[in-house]
Each structure stands twice: as C-alpha cells, then as structure tokens.
Amino acid sequence: GVEPQTETVWRQAEKYNVPRMIFCNKMDKTGADFYRSVEMIKTRLGATAVVMQLPIGAESDFTGVVDLIEMRATTWSDDLGTTMETGEIPAELVEQAQEYHHQLIDAISHFDDEVLEAYIEDESSVTPEMIKRALRAGTLADEITPVLLGSAFKNKGVQPLLDGIVDFLPSPLDVPPVHGVDPKTEADLERPADPSAPFSALA
C-alpha cells in the first residue's frame, strides 16, 4: 500500500508539477492486494489513478499481468522473469478486464478529441495507439497517473514499466526551459529544452 515515504515523495512531485507513474511492487508477497493499493492511491494521495494493468494471480501465485491497453495477458513462467509470454486474457478475468478497459478509456477520453469521438460513437473503435496518445497527454498535463504492477525483484512487470516510461513520461524536449541565475554576474539565464544547448542570457 501507500507508505509514508511515498506520501513525502508525492508531495514534492505535486509541489513541482512533476508528471509521474505508479508501480505497485511486490505483488508476489504475502498480503499483496492490488485493488486495495489503488484505493489508497486515490484516498491518501488524492491521485486520479488510471489502472493500466490487472494482476494475474496473487501473492505466491502471481504470474503475470493483463494489459488493458492491448487487452492481452503477459505472463512470466520462471522465478527470474526471463521468459515472458503474451497471449489471451484468462477466461476468469475477461469480464473484469473489459470493465477496467472501459474505465481507462473513460478517464482519458477528454485528453484527445479523436478518442472522445470514438468513445461516444463506438468504444470498440478506440485503438491502442489512440489510448497511448491520450494517456501521454493526460500524464504530461499532470492530471492523471497511470498505475502499473509487478514484482521488481523477480523481474516481473519491469519490461512493461520501462515501455510505459518511454510512452507516457516526458522527454527533455517536453519540459519547459530551465531558468537560473549566474552566481558571478547575477544575470538571469535560460537553458532551452534541448539539454545539449548552452545557457543564454534573458533580455
């Protein structure tokens, strides 16, 4: 669940408007409860949590995740997460996955006009690419927080997490220029979004 240090880091991120994602770790441990954790994220952090994955199994039986964007299952068949397989969603999770997929599209629909139009007319026409585009827009605007899960120690869920960082979090070109003061001249300086570019004096 949400721990005190999580709340501390969260307050700092709120203060500086840092886009973020949440990774629910240790899903293979005794007492792990993904759905309780999501509720704690909403109530204790006040975050607009957007669930992107559902767990397959729990505690020692945790074997994989349901990808709610692609609507497919990813499982790891060994203890070190080296063998990753993608396939159909387990039958017992199909109905739940469809409900959470609907919630996902509903949460992101107002960040992309094409997604909103497709959602109103025919939700089944919303493609994974459209979902990713809207998710990125909402995350960069710091209005939603994608939630993923896994077991980092067992390397389960880490691969989708890395993909999510690339797909949804800002690159250096997505953030505004950095402003600073030259300690010697006290001149106001600005560094462009391109990190390789030099500082330039502000007029």
Side-chain angles (χ1 to χ4, degrees), residues 1-2 22-41 51 53-55 57-60 62 96 100 147-150:
V2 175
I22 291 178
F23 181 72
C24 292
N25 195 19
K26 302 181 181 179
M27 295 306 301
D28 58 336
K29 299 296 182 183
T30 301
D33 188 335
F34 174 70
Y35 303 100
R36 174 178 170 273
S37 296
V38 171
E39 285 306 309
M40 291 181 70
I41 290 167
V51 175
Q53 297 173 333
L54 298 179
E59 301 181 346
S60 60
F62 173 71
Q96 186 181 27
Y100 274 86
V147 179
L148 298 93
L149 62 100

Side-chain angles (χ1 to χ4, degrees), residues 141-199:
D142 198 19
E143 293 193 30
I144 59 175
T145 305
V147 179
L148 298 93
L149 62 100
S151 172
F153 181 70
K154 298 291 183 65
N155 201 33
K156 296 178 179 180
V158 175
Q159 302 90 334
L161 172 63
L162 294 175
D163 289 339
I165 290 171
V166 173
D167 290 337
F168 309 121
L169 293 183
S171 78
L173 299 178
D174 292 317
V175 296
V178 177
H179 295 273
V181 177
D182 188 320
K184 294 180 180 178
T185 65
E186 297 187 356
D188 290 331
L189 300 176
E190 176 182 284
R191 171 176 281 173
D194 181 356
S196 64
F199 276 100

Side-chain angles (χ1 to χ4, degrees), residues 67 70-75 84-88:
D67 182 343
E70 301 283 351
M71 289 302 283
R72 64 186 181 188
T74 300
T75 56
M84 186 172 71
E85 299 176 356
T86 301
E88 297 295 320

